[in-house]
Amino acid sequence: MTVETTTTARHSASLDLGVIGNCSIAALIDRRAHIVWGCFPRFDRDPVFCSLIDNKPDDGGTMPEKGVFAIELVGMTRCEQSYLDNTAILSSVLSDDQGNAIEILDFAPRFVRYERSFRPPLLVRRVRRLSGRPRIRVVLKPCLGLGELPDEITRGSNHVRYVGADQTIRLTTDAPISYVMDSVPFAVDRTFSFFIGSDEALRAEIETTAREFLDKTTDYWRDWVRSLSIPFEWQQEVIRASITLKLCSFEESGAIVAALTTSIPEAPGTQRNWDYRFCWLRDAYFVVHALNRLGTTRTMEDYLGFITNIVDTFSESGAEHLPPLYPITRGGVLTEFEVPNLSGYRGHQPIRVGNGAASQIQNDGYGAVVLAATHSFFDRRLIQPGKDALFGQLERMGELAIAVFDKPDAGPWELREKQVVHSFSSVMCWAACDRLARIAGTLGRADRKDYWRGEAKRLKGVITDKIWNQEKGTFVSTFGGSELDATLLLIAELGFVKAEDPRYIATVEAIGRELGRGDLLLRYGTEDDFGFMHTGFLICAFWYVDALHAIGRRDEAKDLFCRILKRRNSFGLLSEDADFETGELWGNFPQTYSMVGLINSAMRLSRNWEEAF
């Protein structure tokens, strides 16, 4: 996919962004080939590049005052961008009307070195002349701290150090240092390379290292993609979503973040600006499902390891409630606070760091953990399969699920001012019992199988009675309630009811009527702490596609899926939300949930390979 922009358009902040990374760090690149977002030395640390959330609606094409790394072609009129096939390496071809052109290749090194995964906190920008006598201007304005400029800038013969109180960032380059520091234009008469990352000296020749890193990173991604199991249809879409999902994984711990950014509003002017650079338990079932279908067993096993480590730590802590989200290393706190010196995405504030939902009671987490961990007991490809010890830990999750299945919580949408008994949370508690019975069966634990099967049956009877609204003729989102929400689409996939159950079919149809907005869906139609919803939550649209397919409306599901794909940005990526009418993307980016939804729906809807020829 190649996309083009011109300098004739005004360039306000946009989510038409590409992503590069190496499972330690990641960066977002806009349609002018500017790096506008990137945290060092890992996803959840302070952004060194933060201009994405430090701008105003009328900034137009002006250069940000801070938090950007731009390599500008003097007189540029066009920028064509695409990923190198089956990689996370982004090519930007900048040209003018006089026949001058350059290519910028952006990537984060990732490959096997000394039989270990080499993924340093480092970005590489490689600039080469394509035609004419192009001249470039380099603008590098990193931040150290939350929007703070460096305390000191020092230079050497081939590097610049940006020194802050908590960390130092180093640029190493074979371009003229004085020109780079002063943003003076100079001719691209040979290939230049820029290494930006942690304060470590490059211990080899710059050009040789850049070429080696590029070649080995290209080979790594193409080998990784070659190992994927993909559907016959929508191959490019699934490959790009899969690479993006991989880029959202923090390989050191196995965690997968919900998104790479903070404080991109779900809709303009709503203050629904959250920090998503953490790992939510709720995502676990869907993420593991996608990874399993793709055959990315190493990433899946690492992620399962992160989840089971949470189980161990929680069991040892003696805590009463399982937190719904975690930092990517499981350590530290997620205290939420606002940052006053960043103006916000298109001026929308507040900018939040941390997430207060970490202290909420969300009872679906017990089911999410058990559902994810179930794979460990059934997937024989895994090096460390689930055994009795893990089953014992999961049984505690099940007992807690039994204790809270009919208790109020903040629910799947993390309401901040209200607690009720949410249907989804209750069904997930039932799912914990149901899967524990299946695990007990495969372990040959007949007594525990009978116990958990009995508890699952008991919970199901209570839940069904409470979430079925006879007058409305549908399942509803809360015990004894009358409203719908999109998580009800999942109860058949979770196994709580069969897809052919008339009650489920009626619920799916009612959700389409009441929550549908064009090709998208509201999460729910009721007012919450921040008012009513103004955009469609993209994962809900994929859930609706899957539900339509499950109830037999397959052609309709496929047509809708194809229309939703058109909501992807020019690089094939999705955020959390989209405008109902314009399709403009909103919410944190790229959104793991959305990419997982795309993968899972494509797998369901595609013709299989045997039918294709």
Side-chain angles (χ1 to χ4, degrees), residues 30 38 156 174 229 269 299 320 364 375 385-386 451 484 525 544:
D30 74 6
D174 50 6
S229 299
T299 304
E320 294 183 6
D364 61 305
H375 283 265
Y451 172 77
L484 300 170
Y544 187 57

Side-chain angles (χ1 to χ4, degrees), residues 420-497:
V420 294
V421 184
H422 289 90
S423 302
F424 178 75
S425 298
S426 298
V427 170
M428 288 293 281
C429 289
W430 163 86
C433 300
D434 177 76
R435 283 3 178 234
L436 284 167
R438 301 186 195 192
I439 294 170
T442 198
L443 292 176
R445 298 284 302 277
D447 57 332
R448 303 312 296 163
K449 177 181 177 181
D450 291 343
Y451 172 77
W452 288 113
R453 181 179 288 172
E455 287 300 297
K457 182 178 180 180
R458 182 177 68 84
L459 265 60
K460 186 173 185 178
V462 175
I463 296 168
T464 302
D465 181 63
K466 295 292 186 180
I467 72 173
W468 173 253
N469 185 309
Q470 185 65 40
E471 182 178 347
K472 190 177 181 69
T474 70
F475 292 110
V476 289
S477 61
T478 61
F479 273 26
S482 60
E483 304 295 336
L484 300 170
D485 85 279
T487 58
L488 294 168
L489 296 167
L490 300 172
I491 61 175
E493 179 171 336
L494 293 169
F496 188 77
V497 296

Side-chain angles (χ1 to χ4, degrees), residues 99-170:
N100 301 306
I102 62 169
E103 180 187 44
I104 305 172
L105 289 178
D106 285 302
F107 66 98
R110 179 180 173 84
F111 49 87
V112 176
R113 179 185 252 187
Y114 309 128
E115 299 183 359
R116 299 190 299 270
S117 177
F118 179 69
R119 37 180 167 75
L122 181 71
L123 302 175
V124 181
R125 313 201 77 182
R126 187 162 163 78
V127 183
R128 68 185 181 100
R129 182 184 70 86
L130 295 181
S131 62
R133 182 174 168 74
R135 296 165 66 237
I136 62 172
R137 183 171 76 103
V138 178
V139 181
L140 178 54
K141 300 179 179 180
C143 289
L144 299 174
L146 293 167
E148 301 293 337
L149 294 174
D151 296 330
E152 182 183 8
I153 300 176
T154 65
R155 60 162 291 173
S157 58
N158 291 104
H159 74 267
V160 183
R161 296 172 70 245
Y162 300 87
V163 182
D166 297 322
Q167 70 169 324
T168 297
I169 296 297
R170 178 188 291 248

Side-chain angles (χ1 to χ4, degrees), residues 217-228:
T217 300
T218 302
D219 290 343
Y220 166 81
W221 283 111
R222 288 179 174 164
D223 285 343
W224 186 82
V225 169
R226 190 179 295 121
S227 70
L228 292 177

